[in-house]
Coordinates of all heavy atoms in Angstrom, one line a residue:
M1 N 68.0 -50.2 -10.4 CA 67.8 -50.6 -9.0 C 67.5 -52.1 -8.9 O 66.6 -52.5 -9.7 CB 66.7 -49.8 -8.3 CG 66.9 -48.3 -8.3 SD 65.5 -47.4 -7.8 CE 65.5 -47.8 -6.1
L2 N 68.1 -52.8 -8.1 CA 67.9 -54.2 -8.0 C 67.0 -54.6 -6.7 O 67.2 -54.0 -5.7 CB 69.2 -55.0 -7.8 CG 70.1 -55.0 -9.1 CD1 71.4 -55.7 -8.8 CD2 69.4 -55.7 -10.3
F3 N 66.1 -55.5 -6.9 CA 65.3 -55.9 -5.9 C 65.2 -57.4 -5.9 O 65.0 -58.0 -7.0 CB 63.8 -55.4 -6.0 CG 63.8 -53.9 -5.8 CD1 63.9 -53.0 -6.9 CD2 63.5 -53.3 -4.6 CE1 63.8 -51.7 -6.7 CE2 63.4 -52.0 -4.4 CZ 63.6 -51.1 -5.5
M4 N 65.2 -58.1 -4.7 CA 64.8 -59.5 -4.6 C 63.3 -59.5 -4.2 O 62.9 -58.8 -3.3 CB 65.6 -60.2 -3.5 CG 65.1 -61.6 -3.3 SD 66.1 -62.5 -2.0 CE 65.5 -61.7 -0.5
V5 N 62.5 -60.2 -5.0 CA 61.1 -60.4 -4.7 C 60.8 -61.9 -4.4 O 61.1 -62.7 -5.3 CB 60.2 -59.8 -5.8 CG1 58.8 -60.0 -5.4 CG2 60.6 -58.4 -6.1
E6 N 60.3 -62.2 -3.3 CA 59.9 -63.6 -3.0 C 58.4 -63.6 -3.1 O 57.7 -62.8 -2.6 CB 60.4 -64.0 -1.6 CG 61.9 -64.0 -1.5 CD 62.4 -64.2 -0.1 OE1 62.5 -63.1 0.6 OE2 62.6 -65.3 0.3
M7 N 57.9 -64.6 -3.9 CA 56.5 -64.7 -4.2 C 56.0 -66.0 -3.8 O 56.5 -67.1 -4.2 CB 56.2 -64.5 -5.7 CG 56.8 -63.3 -6.3 SD 56.3 -63.2 -8.1 CE 57.5 -62.0 -8.7
D8 N 55.0 -66.0 -2.9 CA 54.4 -67.2 -2.5 C 53.0 -67.3 -3.1 O 52.2 -66.4 -2.9 CB 54.2 -67.3 -0.9 CG 55.6 -67.2 -0.3 OD1 56.6 -67.8 -0.8 OD2 55.7 -66.5 0.8
V9 N 52.7 -68.3 -3.9 CA 51.4 -68.4 -4.6 C 50.5 -69.3 -3.9 O 50.8 -70.4 -3.4 CB 51.7 -68.9 -6.0 CG1 50.4 -68.9 -6.8 CG2 52.8 -68.2 -6.8
N10 N 49.2 -68.8 -3.7 CA 48.2 -69.6 -3.0 C 46.9 -69.4 -3.8 O 46.2 -68.4 -3.5 CB 48.1 -69.1 -1.6 CG 47.2 -70.0 -0.8 OD1 46.6 -70.9 -1.3 ND2 47.1 -69.7 0.5
I11 N 46.6 -70.3 -4.6 CA 45.3 -70.4 -5.4 C 44.4 -71.2 -4.6 O 44.7 -72.4 -4.3 CB 45.5 -70.9 -6.8 CG1 46.5 -70.0 -7.6 CG2 44.2 -71.0 -7.5 CD1 46.9 -70.6 -8.9
P12 N 43.2 -70.7 -4.2 CA 42.3 -71.5 -3.4 C 41.9 -72.8 -4.1 O 41.8 -72.9 -5.3 CB 41.0 -70.5 -3.3 CG 41.5 -69.2 -3.6 CD 42.7 -69.3 -4.5
H13 N 41.7 -73.8 -3.2 CA 41.5 -75.2 -3.8 C 40.2 -75.2 -4.6 O 40.0 -76.0 -5.5 CB 41.4 -76.2 -2.6 CG 42.8 -76.4 -2.0 ND1 43.9 -76.9 -2.7 CD2 43.2 -76.1 -0.7 CE1 44.9 -76.9 -1.9 NE2 44.6 -76.5 -0.7
D14 N 39.2 -74.3 -4.2 CA 37.9 -74.4 -4.9 C 37.9 -73.4 -6.1 O 36.8 -73.2 -6.7 CB 36.8 -74.0 -4.0 CG 36.9 -72.7 -3.3 OD1 38.0 -72.0 -3.5 OD2 36.0 -72.3 -2.6
F15 N 39.0 -72.9 -6.5 CA 39.1 -72.0 -7.7 C 39.0 -72.8 -9.0 O 39.6 -73.9 -9.0 CB 40.4 -71.2 -7.7 CG 40.4 -70.0 -8.6 CD1 39.8 -68.8 -8.3 CD2 41.1 -70.1 -9.8 CE1 39.8 -67.7 -9.1 CE2 41.1 -69.0 -10.7 CZ 40.5 -67.8 -10.4
D16 N 38.3 -72.3 -9.9 CA 38.1 -73.1 -11.2 C 39.4 -73.4 -11.8 O 40.2 -72.5 -12.2 CB 37.2 -72.2 -12.2 CG 37.1 -72.9 -13.5 OD1 36.8 -74.1 -13.5 OD2 37.2 -72.2 -14.5
P17 N 39.7 -74.7 -12.0 CA 41.0 -75.2 -12.5 C 41.3 -74.6 -13.9 O 42.4 -74.3 -14.2 CB 40.9 -76.7 -12.6 CG 39.8 -77.0 -11.6 CD 38.8 -75.9 -11.6
A18 N 40.3 -74.5 -14.8 CA 40.5 -74.0 -16.2 C 40.9 -72.6 -16.1 O 41.8 -72.1 -16.9 CB 39.2 -74.3 -17.0
Q19 N 40.2 -71.8 -15.3 CA 40.5 -70.4 -15.1 C 41.9 -70.2 -14.5 O 42.7 -69.4 -15.0 CB 39.5 -69.7 -14.2 CG 39.7 -68.2 -13.9 CD 39.6 -67.3 -15.1 OE1 39.3 -67.8 -16.2 NE2 39.8 -66.1 -14.9
A20 N 42.3 -71.1 -13.6 CA 43.6 -71.0 -13.0 C 44.7 -71.3 -14.1 O 45.7 -70.6 -14.1 CB 43.7 -72.1 -11.8
D21 N 44.4 -72.3 -14.9 CA 45.4 -72.6 -16.0 C 45.5 -71.4 -16.9 O 46.6 -71.1 -17.4 CB 44.9 -73.8 -16.8 CG 45.1 -75.1 -16.0 OD1 45.9 -75.1 -14.9 OD2 44.6 -76.2 -16.4
R22 N 44.4 -70.7 -17.2 CA 44.5 -69.5 -18.1 C 45.4 -68.5 -17.5 O 46.2 -67.8 -18.1 CB 43.1 -69.0 -18.4 CG 42.4 -69.7 -19.5 CD 41.2 -69.0 -20.0 NE 40.1 -69.0 -19.0 CZ 39.2 -70.0 -18.8 NH1 39.2 -71.0 -19.6 NH2 38.3 -69.9 -17.9
I23 N 45.2 -68.2 -16.2 CA 45.9 -67.2 -15.5 C 47.4 -67.6 -15.4 O 48.3 -66.7 -15.6 CB 45.3 -66.9 -14.1 CG1 43.9 -66.4 -14.2 CG2 46.2 -66.0 -13.3 CD1 43.2 -66.3 -12.9
K24 N 47.7 -68.8 -15.2 CA 49.1 -69.3 -15.1 C 49.8 -69.1 -16.5 O 50.9 -68.7 -16.6 CB 49.2 -70.8 -14.7 CG 48.8 -71.0 -13.2 CD 48.9 -72.5 -12.9 CE 48.3 -72.8 -11.6 NZ 48.2 -74.2 -11.3
A25 N 49.0 -69.4 -17.6 CA 49.6 -69.2 -18.9 C 49.9 -67.7 -19.2 O 50.9 -67.4 -19.7 CB 48.6 -69.7 -20.0
E26 N 49.0 -66.8 -18.7 CA 49.2 -65.4 -18.9 C 50.4 -64.9 -18.1 O 51.2 -64.1 -18.5 CB 48.0 -64.6 -18.4 CG 46.8 -64.7 -19.3 CD 45.5 -64.1 -18.7 OE1 45.6 -63.3 -17.8 OE2 44.4 -64.4 -19.2
E27 N 50.5 -65.5 -16.9 CA 51.6 -65.2 -16.0 C 53.0 -65.6 -16.6 O 53.9 -64.8 -16.6 CB 51.4 -65.9 -14.6 CG 52.6 -65.7 -13.6 CD 52.4 -64.5 -12.7 OE1 51.3 -63.9 -12.8 OE2 53.3 -64.2 -12.0
K28 N 53.0 -66.8 -17.2 CA 54.2 -67.3 -17.8 C 54.6 -66.4 -19.0 O 55.8 -66.0 -19.1 CB 54.0 -68.7 -18.3 CG 55.2 -69.3 -18.9 CD 55.0 -70.8 -19.2 CE 56.3 -71.5 -19.7 NZ 56.1 -72.9 -19.8
A29 N 53.7 -66.0 -19.8 CA 54.0 -65.1 -20.9 C 54.5 -63.7 -20.5 O 55.5 -63.2 -21.0 CB 52.7 -64.9 -21.8
Y30 N 53.8 -63.2 -19.5 CA 54.2 -61.9 -18.9 C 55.6 -62.0 -18.3 O 56.5 -61.1 -18.6 CB 53.2 -61.5 -17.8 CG 53.4 -60.2 -17.1 CD1 53.1 -59.0 -17.7 CD2 53.9 -60.2 -15.8 CE1 53.3 -57.8 -17.0 CE2 54.1 -59.0 -15.1 CZ 53.8 -57.8 -15.8 OH 54.0 -56.6 -15.1
S31 N 55.9 -63.0 -17.5 CA 57.2 -63.2 -16.9 C 58.3 -63.4 -18.0 O 59.3 -62.8 -17.9 CB 57.1 -64.5 -16.0 OG 58.4 -64.8 -15.6
Q32 N 58.0 -64.1 -19.0 CA 59.0 -64.4 -20.0 C 59.3 -63.2 -20.8 O 60.4 -62.9 -21.3 CB 58.6 -65.6 -20.8 CG 58.7 -66.9 -20.0 CD 58.5 -68.2 -20.8 OE1 57.8 -68.2 -21.8 NE2 59.0 -69.3 -20.3
T33 N 58.3 -62.3 -21.1 CA 58.5 -61.1 -21.8 C 59.4 -60.2 -21.0 O 60.4 -59.6 -21.5 CB 57.2 -60.4 -22.0 OG1 56.4 -61.2 -22.9 CG2 57.4 -59.0 -22.7
L34 N 59.2 -60.1 -19.7 CA 60.0 -59.2 -18.8 C 61.4 -59.8 -18.6 O 62.4 -59.1 -18.5 CB 59.3 -59.0 -17.4 CG 58.1 -58.2 -17.4 CD1 57.4 -58.2 -16.1 CD2 58.4 -56.7 -17.8
Q35 N 61.5 -61.1 -18.6 CA 62.9 -61.7 -18.6 C 63.6 -61.4 -19.8 O 64.8 -61.1 -19.8 CB 62.8 -63.3 -18.4 CG 62.3 -63.7 -17.0 CD 62.1 -65.2 -16.9 OE1 63.0 -65.9 -17.0 NE2 60.9 -65.6 -16.6
A36 N 63.0 -61.5 -21.0 CA 63.6 -61.2 -22.3 C 64.1 -59.8 -22.3 O 65.1 -59.5 -22.9 CB 62.7 -61.6 -23.4
S37 N 63.3 -58.9 -21.7 CA 63.7 -57.5 -21.7 C 64.8 -57.1 -20.7 O 65.4 -56.0 -20.8 CB 62.5 -56.6 -21.4 OG 62.2 -56.6 -20.0
G38 N 65.1 -58.0 -19.8 CA 66.2 -57.8 -18.9 C 65.7 -57.2 -17.5 O 66.5 -57.1 -16.6
V39 N 64.4 -56.9 -17.5 CA 63.9 -56.3 -16.2 C 63.8 -57.4 -15.1 O 64.1 -57.2 -14.0 CB 62.5 -55.7 -16.5 CG1 61.8 -55.4 -15.2 CG2 62.7 -54.4 -17.3
W40 N 63.3 -58.6 -15.5 CA 63.2 -59.7 -14.6 C 64.4 -60.6 -14.8 O 64.5 -61.4 -15.7 CB 61.9 -60.5 -14.9 CG 61.4 -61.4 -13.8 CD1 62.2 -62.2 -13.0 CD2 60.1 -61.8 -13.5 NE1 61.4 -62.9 -12.2 CE2 60.1 -62.7 -12.5 CE3 58.8 -61.4 -14.1 CZ2 58.9 -63.2 -12.0 CZ3 57.7 -61.9 -13.5 CH2 57.7 -62.8 -12.5
R41 N 65.5 -60.3 -14.0 CA 66.8 -60.9 -14.3 C 66.9 -62.4 -14.0 O 67.6 -63.1 -14.6 CB 67.8 -60.1 -13.4 CG 68.3 -58.9 -14.1 CD 69.8 -58.9 -13.8 NE 70.3 -57.5 -13.7 CZ 71.4 -57.2 -13.1 NH1 72.1 -58.1 -12.5 NH2 71.8 -55.9 -13.1
H42 N 66.3 -62.7 -12.8 CA 66.4 -64.2 -12.4 C 65.1 -64.6 -11.8 O 64.4 -63.8 -11.2 CB 67.5 -64.3 -11.3 CG 68.8 -64.0 -11.8 ND1 69.6 -64.8 -12.5 CD2 69.6 -62.9 -11.5 CE1 70.8 -64.3 -12.7 NE2 70.8 -63.1 -12.1
I43 N 64.7 -65.9 -12.0 CA 63.6 -66.5 -11.3 C 64.0 -67.9 -10.9 O 64.5 -68.6 -11.8 CB 62.3 -66.4 -12.1 CG1 61.2 -67.1 -11.3 CG2 62.5 -67.1 -13.5 CD1 59.8 -66.8 -11.9
W44 N 63.9 -68.2 -9.7 CA 64.2 -69.5 -9.2 C 63.0 -70.1 -8.4 O 62.4 -69.3 -7.6 CB 65.4 -69.4 -8.2 CG 66.7 -69.1 -8.9 CD1 67.2 -67.8 -9.0 CD2 67.6 -69.9 -9.6 NE1 68.3 -67.8 -9.8 CE2 68.6 -69.1 -10.1 CE3 67.6 -71.3 -9.9 CZ2 69.6 -69.6 -10.9 CZ3 68.6 -71.8 -10.6 CH2 69.6 -71.0 -11.1
R45 N 62.7 -71.3 -8.6 CA 61.7 -72.0 -7.8 C 62.3 -72.3 -6.4 O 63.5 -72.7 -6.4 CB 61.3 -73.3 -8.5 CG 60.3 -74.1 -7.7 CD 58.9 -73.4 -7.6 NE 58.1 -73.5 -8.8 CZ 57.3 -72.4 -9.1 NH1 57.2 -71.4 -8.3 NH2 56.5 -72.5 -10.1
K46 N 61.6 -72.1 -5.4 CA 62.0 -72.6 -4.0 C 61.6 -74.0 -4.0 O 60.4 -74.4 -4.1 CB 61.3 -71.8 -2.9 CG 61.7 -70.3 -2.8 CD 61.1 -69.7 -1.6 CE 61.5 -68.2 -1.5 NZ 60.9 -67.6 -0.3
A47 N 62.5 -74.9 -3.9 CA 62.3 -76.4 -4.0 C 61.2 -76.8 -3.0 O 61.3 -76.5 -1.8 CB 63.6 -77.1 -3.8
G48 N 60.2 -77.5 -3.6 CA 59.2 -78.1 -2.7 C 58.0 -77.1 -2.4 O 57.1 -77.5 -1.7
L49 N 58.1 -75.9 -2.9 CA 57.1 -74.9 -2.6 C 56.5 -74.3 -3.9 O 57.2 -74.3 -4.9 CB 57.7 -73.8 -1.7 CG 58.3 -74.2 -0.4 CD1 59.0 -73.0 0.2 CD2 57.2 -74.7 0.5
Y50 N 55.3 -73.8 -3.8 CA 54.8 -73.0 -4.9 C 55.2 -71.6 -4.7 O 54.3 -70.7 -4.4 CB 53.3 -73.2 -5.0 CG 52.6 -72.7 -6.3 CD1 53.4 -72.1 -7.4 CD2 51.3 -72.7 -6.6 CE1 52.9 -71.7 -8.5 CE2 50.7 -72.3 -7.7 CZ 51.5 -71.8 -8.7 OH 50.9 -71.3 -9.9
S51 N 56.5 -71.3 -4.8 CA 57.1 -70.0 -4.4 C 58.3 -69.8 -5.3 O 58.9 -70.8 -5.8 CB 57.6 -70.0 -3.0 OG 56.5 -70.2 -2.1
N52 N 58.6 -68.6 -5.6 CA 59.8 -68.3 -6.3 C 60.6 -67.2 -5.6 O 60.0 -66.4 -4.9 CB 59.5 -68.0 -7.8 CG 58.9 -66.6 -8.0 OD1 59.6 -65.6 -7.8 ND2 57.6 -66.5 -8.3
V53 N 61.9 -67.1 -6.0 CA 62.7 -65.9 -5.6 C 63.2 -65.3 -6.9 O 63.7 -66.1 -7.8 CB 63.8 -66.3 -4.6 CG1 64.7 -67.4 -5.1 CG2 64.6 -65.0 -4.2
S54 N 62.9 -64.1 -7.1 CA 63.2 -63.4 -8.3 C 64.1 -62.1 -8.1 O 64.0 -61.5 -7.0 CB 61.9 -63.0 -9.0 OG 61.2 -64.1 -9.5
I55 N 64.8 -61.8 -9.1 CA 65.6 -60.5 -9.0 C 65.1 -59.6 -10.2 O 65.1 -60.1 -11.3 CB 67.1 -60.8 -9.2 CG1 67.6 -61.8 -8.2 CG2 67.9 -59.5 -9.2 CD1 67.6 -61.4 -6.7
F56 N 64.7 -58.4 -9.8 CA 64.3 -57.4 -10.8 C 65.3 -56.3 -10.8 O 65.9 -55.9 -9.8 CB 62.9 -56.9 -10.4 CG 61.8 -57.9 -10.5 CD1 61.5 -58.7 -9.5 CD2 61.1 -58.0 -11.7 CE1 60.4 -59.7 -9.6 CE2 60.1 -58.9 -11.9 CZ 59.7 -59.7 -10.8
D57 N 65.4 -55.8 -12.0 CA 66.3 -54.6 -12.3 C 65.4 -53.5 -12.9 O 65.1 -53.6 -14.1 CB 67.4 -55.0 -13.2 CG 68.5 -53.8 -13.4 OD1 68.2 -52.7 -12.8 OD2 69.5 -54.1 -14.1
V58 N 65.0 -52.5 -12.1 CA 64.0 -51.5 -12.5 C 64.5 -50.1 -12.2 O 65.5 -50.0 -11.5 CB 62.7 -51.8 -11.8 CG1 62.0 -53.1 -12.2 CG2 62.9 -51.7 -10.3
E59 N 63.9 -49.1 -12.8 CA 64.3 -47.7 -12.6 C 63.9 -47.1 -11.3 O 64.6 -46.2 -10.8 CB 63.7 -46.9 -13.8 CG 64.3 -47.1 -15.1 CD 63.7 -46.2 -16.2 OE1 62.9 -45.3 -15.8 OE2 64.1 -46.3 -17.3
S60 N 62.9 -47.6 -10.7 CA 62.4 -47.0 -9.5 C 61.5 -47.9 -8.7 O 61.1 -49.0 -9.2 CB 61.6 -45.7 -9.9 OG 60.4 -46.1 -10.6
N61 N 61.2 -47.5 -7.5 CA 60.3 -48.3 -6.6 C 58.9 -48.3 -7.3 O 58.2 -49.4 -7.3 CB 60.1 -47.6 -5.3 CG 61.4 -47.7 -4.4 OD1 62.4 -48.1 -4.9 ND2 61.3 -47.3 -3.1
A62 N 58.5 -47.2 -7.9 CA 57.2 -47.1 -8.5 C 57.2 -48.1 -9.7 O 56.1 -48.7 -10.0 CB 56.9 -45.7 -9.0
A63 N 58.3 -48.2 -10.5 CA 58.3 -49.1 -11.6 C 58.1 -50.5 -11.2 O 57.4 -51.3 -11.8 CB 59.6 -48.9 -12.4
L64 N 58.8 -50.9 -10.1 CA 58.6 -52.2 -9.6 C 57.2 -52.5 -9.1 O 56.6 -53.5 -9.4 CB 59.6 -52.5 -8.4 CG 59.5 -53.9 -7.8 CD1 60.1 -54.9 -8.7 CD2 60.2 -53.9 -6.4
H65 N 56.6 -51.5 -8.4 CA 55.3 -51.6 -8.0 C 54.3 -51.9 -9.1 O 53.5 -52.8 -9.1 CB 54.9 -50.3 -7.2 CG 53.4 -50.3 -6.8 ND1 53.0 -51.0 -5.7 CD2 52.3 -49.7 -7.4 CE1 51.7 -50.8 -5.6 NE2 51.3 -50.0 -6.6
D66 N 54.5 -51.1 -10.2 CA 53.6 -51.2 -11.3 C 53.7 -52.5 -12.0 O 52.7 -53.2 -12.4 CB 53.9 -50.1 -12.4 CG 53.5 -48.7 -11.9 OD1 52.7 -48.6 -10.9 OD2 53.9 -47.7 -12.5
L67 N 54.9 -53.0 -12.1 CA 55.2 -54.3 -12.7 C 54.6 -55.5 -11.9 O 54.0 -56.4 -12.4 CB 56.7 -54.4 -12.8 CG 57.5 -55.6 -13.4 CD1 58.9 -55.1 -13.7 CD2 57.5 -56.7 -12.4
L68 N 54.7 -55.4 -10.6 CA 54.3 -56.4 -9.7 C 52.8 -56.5 -9.6 O 52.2 -57.6 -9.7 CB 54.9 -56.3 -8.3 CG 56.4 -56.5 -8.2 CD1 56.8 -56.3 -6.7 CD2 56.8 -57.9 -8.7
I69 N 52.1 -55.3 -9.5 CA 50.6 -55.4 -9.4 C 50.0 -55.8 -10.8 O 48.8 -56.2 -10.8 CB 50.0 -54.1 -8.9 CG1 50.2 -53.0 -9.8 CG2 50.5 -53.8 -7.5 CD1 49.3 -51.8 -9.4
A70 N 50.8 -55.8 -11.8 CA 50.2 -56.2 -13.1 C 50.4 -57.7 -13.4 O 49.9 -58.3 -14.4 CB 50.9 -55.5 -14.3
L71 N 51.0 -58.4 -12.4 CA 51.2 -59.9 -12.6 C 49.8 -60.5 -12.6 O 48.9 -60.2 -11.7 CB 51.9 -60.5 -11.4 CG 53.4 -60.2 -11.3 CD1 53.9 -60.6 -9.9 CD2 54.2 -61.0 -12.3
P72 N 49.5 -61.3 -13.6 CA 48.2 -62.0 -13.7 C 47.8 -62.7 -12.4 O 46.7 -62.8 -12.0 CB 48.3 -62.9 -14.9 CG 49.2 -62.2 -15.8 CD 50.3 -61.6 -14.8
L73 N 48.8 -63.3 -11.7 CA 48.6 -64.1 -10.5 C 48.6 -63.2 -9.3 O 48.5 -63.7 -8.1 CB 49.7 -65.2 -10.3 CG 49.4 -66.5 -11.1 CD1 50.7 -67.4 -10.9 CD2 48.2 -67.2 -10.6
Y74 N 48.7 -61.9 -9.5 CA 48.9 -61.0 -8.3 C 47.9 -61.2 -7.2 O 48.3 -61.2 -6.0 CB 48.9 -59.5 -8.8 CG 49.1 -58.6 -7.6 CD1 50.3 -58.3 -7.1 CD2 48.0 -57.9 -7.0 CE1 50.5 -57.4 -6.0 CE2 48.1 -57.1 -6.0 CZ 49.4 -56.8 -5.5 OH 49.6 -56.0 -4.4
P75 N 46.6 -61.4 -7.5 CA 45.6 -61.6 -6.4 C 45.9 -62.8 -5.5 O 45.3 -62.9 -4.4 CB 44.3 -61.7 -7.2 CG 44.5 -61.1 -8.5 CD 45.9 -61.4 -8.8
F76 N 46.7 -63.7 -6.0 CA 47.0 -65.0 -5.3 C 48.4 -65.0 -4.7 O 48.8 -66.1 -4.3 CB 46.7 -66.2 -6.3 CG 45.4 -66.1 -7.0 CD1 45.3 -65.8 -8.3 CD2 44.3 -66.4 -6.3 CE1 44.1 -65.8 -9.0 CE2 43.0 -66.4 -6.9 CZ 43.0 -66.0 -8.2
I77 N 49.1 -63.9 -4.8 CA 50.5 -63.9 -4.4 C 50.7 -63.1 -3.2 O 50.2 -62.0 -3.1 CB 51.4 -63.4 -5.5 CG1 51.4 -64.3 -6.8 CG2 52.9 -63.3 -5.1 CD1 52.2 -63.8 -8.0
T78 N 51.5 -63.6 -2.2 CA 52.0 -62.9 -1.1 C 53.4 -62.6 -1.4 O 54.2 -63.5 -1.7 CB 51.9 -63.6 0.2 OG1 50.5 -63.9 0.4 CG2 52.4 -62.8 1.4
M79 N 53.9 -61.3 -1.3 CA 55.2 -60.9 -1.7 C 56.0 -60.3 -0.6 O 55.5 -59.6 0.3 CB 55.1 -59.9 -2.9 CG 54.5 -60.4 -4.1 SD 54.7 -59.1 -5.4 CE 53.5 -59.8 -6.6
T80 N 57.3 -60.6 -0.7 CA 58.3 -59.9 0.2 C 59.3 -59.2 -0.8 O 59.9 -59.9 -1.6 CB 59.0 -60.8 1.1 OG1 58.0 -61.6 1.9 CG2 59.9 -60.1 2.1
V81 N 59.4 -57.9 -0.6 CA 60.4 -57.2 -1.5 C 61.6 -56.7 -0.7 O 61.4 -56.1 0.4 CB 59.6 -56.0 -2.1 CG1 60.6 -55.1 -3.0 CG2 58.4 -56.4 -3.0
T82 N 62.8 -57.0 -1.2 CA 64.0 -56.6 -0.5 C 64.9 -55.8 -1.5 O 65.3 -56.4 -2.5 CB 64.8 -57.8 0.0 OG1 63.9 -58.6 0.8 CG2 66.0 -57.4 0.8
P83 N 65.2 -54.5 -1.2 CA 66.1 -53.8 -2.0 C 67.5 -54.4 -1.9 O 67.9 -54.8 -0.8 CB 66.1 -52.3 -1.5 CG 64.9 -52.3 -0.5 CD 64.7 -53.7 -0.1
L84 N 68.2 -54.4 -3.0 CA 69.6 -54.9 -3.0 C 70.6 -53.8 -3.4 O 70.3 -52.9 -4.2 CB 69.7 -56.1 -4.0 CG 68.8 -57.3 -3.8 CD1 68.9 -58.3 -4.9 CD2 69.0 -57.9 -2.5
C85 N 71.8 -54.0 -2.9 CA 72.9 -53.1 -3.5 C 74.2 -54.0 -3.6 O 74.2 -55.1 -3.1 CB 73.2 -51.9 -2.5 SG 73.6 -52.4 -0.9
R86 N 75.1 -53.4 -4.3 CA 76.3 -54.2 -4.7 C 77.1 -54.6 -3.4 O 77.3 -53.8 -2.5 CB 77.2 -53.4 -5.6 CG 78.4 -54.1 -6.1 CD 79.2 -53.3 -7.1 NE 80.4 -54.0 -7.5 CZ 80.5 -55.0 -8.4 NH1 79.4 -55.3 -9.0 NH2 81.6 -55.5 -8.7
H87 N 77.5 -55.9 -3.4 CA 78.3 -56.4 -2.3 C 79.8 -56.0 -2.6 O 80.3 -56.1 -3.7 CB 78.2 -57.9 -2.2 CG 78.7 -58.4 -0.9 ND1 80.1 -58.5 -0.7 CD2 78.1 -58.8 0.3 CE1 80.3 -59.0 0.6 NE2 79.1 -59.2 1.1
P88 N 80.5 -55.5 -1.6 CA 81.9 -55.1 -1.9 C 82.8 -56.3 -2.3 O 83.9 -56.0 -2.9 CB 82.4 -54.6 -0.5 CG 81.4 -55.1 0.5 CD 80.1 -55.2 -0.2
S89 N 82.4 -57.5 -2.1 CA 83.2 -58.6 -2.6 C 82.8 -59.2 -3.9 O 83.3 -60.2 -4.4 CB 83.2 -59.8 -1.6 OG 83.6 -59.3 -0.3
A90 N 81.7 -58.6 -4.5 CA 81.2 -59.1 -5.8 C 82.2 -58.9 -6.9 O 82.9 -57.9 -7.0 CB 79.9 -58.3 -6.2
I91 N 82.3 -60.0 -7.8 CA 83.3 -59.9 -8.8 C 82.7 -59.7 -10.2 O 83.3 -59.5 -11.2 CB 84.2 -61.2 -8.9 CG1 83.4 -62.4 -9.2 CG2 85.0 -61.3 -7.6 CD1 84.2 -63.7 -9.5
H92 N 81.3 -59.8 -10.3 CA 80.6 -59.7 -11.6 C 80.2 -58.3 -11.7 O 79.5 -57.7 -10.9 CB 79.4 -60.7 -11.6 CG 79.9 -62.1 -11.5 ND1 80.6 -62.7 -12.5 CD2 79.7 -63.0 -10.6 CE1 80.8 -64.0 -12.2 NE2 80.3 -64.2 -11.0
E93 N 80.5 -57.7 -12.9 CA 80.2 -56.3 -13.1 C 78.7 -56.0 -13.1 O 78.3 -54.8 -12.8 CB 80.9 -55.8 -14.4 CG 82.4 -55.5 -14.3 CD 82.7 -54.6 -13.2 OE1 82.1 -53.5 -13.1 OE2 83.6 -54.9 -12.3
D94 N 77.9 -56.9 -13.5 CA 76.5 -56.7 -13.5 C 75.8 -56.8 -12.2 O 74.6 -56.7 -12.1 CB 75.8 -57.5 -14.6 CG 75.9 -59.0 -14.3 OD1 76.7 -59.4 -13.4 OD2 75.1 -59.8 -15.0
D95 N 76.5 -57.1 -11.1 CA 75.9 -57.2 -9.8 C 75.9 -55.8 -9.2 O 76.6 -55.5 -8.2 CB 76.8 -58.1 -8.9 CG 76.7 -59.6 -9.3 OD1 75.8 -59.9 -10.1 OD2 77.5 -60.4 -8.8
R96 N 75.1 -55.0 -9.7 CA 74.9 -53.6 -9.2 C 73.5 -53.1 -9.4 O 72.7 -53.7 -10.1 CB 75.9 -52.7 -9.8 CG 75.8 -52.6 -11.3 CD 77.0 -51.8 -11.8 NE 77.5 -52.2 -13.1 CZ 76.9 -51.9 -14.2 NH1 75.8 -51.1 -14.2 NH2 77.3 -52.4 -15.4
Ligands
LIG1 O1 55.1 -70.0 -10.5 C1 55.4 -69.0 -9.9 O2 56.4 -68.9 -9.1 C2 54.5 -67.7 -9.9 C3 54.7 -66.9 -11.2 C4 56.0 -66.2 -11.3 C5 56.4 -66.3 -12.6 C6 55.5 -67.2 -13.2 O3 55.6 -67.6 -14.4 O4 54.6 -67.7 -12.4

């Protein structure tokens, strides 16, 4: 099942910068592990924003939920989740 997830990150200005850097490093490692596994198919920065748009390929809504709430930055992220399905004009076989 494919989902588009838009993540807007908002770390409070008074949050300890060293702690923020540690959480960001954990987030990067977590994200790259999931990308390598194929579950986190795409991640794009929204230009000019501390936001991304990502595509996940997971087995179920519950699997996506578990994956998202485990994000180290989760407490600082506002998310919008959109289920996706294959477009009838798509030409790439993996767009499903
Ligand atoms: O920077 C972000 O967009 C937030 C988050 C998502 C993946 C990652 O490495 O950081």
Side-chain angles (χ1 to χ4, degrees):
M1 302 170 71
L2 292 176
F3 294 88
M4 176 179 72
V5 180
E6 294 169 276
M7 305 184 201
D8 301 322
V9 185
N10 188 356
I11 300 174
H13 293 298
D14 59 354
F15 194 79
D16 176 45
Q19 177 68 357
D21 286 346
R22 279 193 290 276
I23 296 171
K24 288 177 194 175
E26 290 171 18
E27 177 89 7
K28 184 172 184 174
Y30 180 76
S31 168
Q32 291 186 334
T33 297
L34 291 173
Q35 288 175 63
S37 78
V39 167
W40 195 327
R41 275 222 211 157
H42 299 280
I43 181 168
W44 294 95
R45 179 64 78 214
K46 291 184 180 179
L49 300 174
Y50 193 2
S51 301
N52 73 72
V53 56
S54 292
I55 305 295
F56 289 90
D57 188 356
V58 293
E59 287 184 4
S60 65
N61 291 10
L64 181 69
H65 176 79
D66 291 346
L67 180 160
L68 293 177
I69 65 166
L71 287 166
L73 277 173
Y74 181 79
F76 308 107
I77 296 176
T78 301
M79 295 187 194
T80 305
V81 177
T82 306
L84 302 175
C85 58
R86 185 174 174 81
H87 192 286
S89 302
I91 63 168
H92 299 293
E93 282 307 310
D94 64 346
D95 289 348
R96 59 188 145 81

